[in-house]
Amino acid sequence: MLEAAIIDHLAGGQLGLKAVEGIETAAQLASVPVARPAAFVLPALEDYRAAQEGAGLIILEVTAAFDVVVMVDGHATRGQRAGELERLRQAVVDRLFGWTPDAAAYRPFVPTSGRLLGIENGRASHVTRFRTVYRLRRQGI
C-alpha cells in the first residue's frame, strides 16, 4: 500500500517524469522498455522495534525505508539535457520531503541519503532513500 501511495503522489506532481513505476517494472528493465526520464519506487527495508509487548497488547514501531531511483537517458544532443538528472532528483526530494499519505498513520517522509547509482547503456540513474515511521498494533490472545 505504501509503495502505491508514493507512486501516485510522484506521478501526480507533474515533475517531468514520463513514467513512475514500482519494483515489478524495475525488475524487468532489461526486457521491457520504459519511457525516460522515469522514477522507480523500491521498498528498501523495514526495522521493527517493540514499543509494548504484553499479553493484552503488542505495539511495534516500524521504521520503513524506500528508495526512489531517477533514471534519464544520456544520449541526447550534447548540452541539450544538461542537469536533467539533478533537476529531477531534486524535484523528487521536494515532492516527498515532509509528505505523508496519512498523517494519522505515518510520520512525514524524510530523505536520509542519496548517491549516483550508475551510468550504463546510455542511462544515468540516481537513488534517494527516504524514511517514515508507523506503528503496528495487535490485541493479544
Side-chain angles (χ1 to χ4, degrees):
M1 180 195 112
L2 188 56
E3 181 183 352
I6 297 165
I7 290 169
D8 290 346
H9 187 66
L10 285 175
Q14 299 178 359
L15 305 179
L17 297 163
K18 292 181 181 175
V20 181
E21 302 287 345
I23 193 166
E24 292 84 4
T25 303
Q28 298 176 1
L29 275 177
S31 60
V32 177
V34 174
R36 287 183 287 275
F40 300 92
V41 178
L42 311 172
L45 79 100
E46 290 179 322
D47 183 39
Y48 298 87
R49 186 182 64 79
Q52 179 176 337
E53 289 182 285
L57 182 63
I58 301 169
I59 301 174
L60 299 177
E61 184 176 88
V62 182
T63 300
F66 60 93
D67 294 335
V68 178
V69 176
V70 174
M71 185 179 295
V72 299
D73 285 324
H75 64 275
T77 304
R78 186 178 181 147
Q80 181 182 3
R81 289 153 95 180
E84 182 180 35
L85 182 61
E86 175 59 21
R87 181 186 63 75
L88 291 171
R89 182 205 66 79
Q90 188 60 53
V92 165
V93 170
D94 291 346
R95 181 82 174 150
L96 292 178
F97 181 41
W99 175 76
T100 178
D102 179 355
Y106 298 96
R107 289 192 195 151
F109 293 178
V110 294
T112 61
S113 65
R115 67 179 178 87
L116 181 66
L117 186 60
I119 301 172
E120 62 180 310
N121 299 327
R123 297 185 307 235
S125 54
H126 186 279
V127 60
T128 304
R129 180 158 289 177
F130 293 86
R131 171 182 46 83
T132 187
V133 177
Y134 62 93
R135 289 180 171 237
L136 295 177
R137 180 183 170 109
R138 171 84 31 105
Q139 287 296 131
I141 300 173

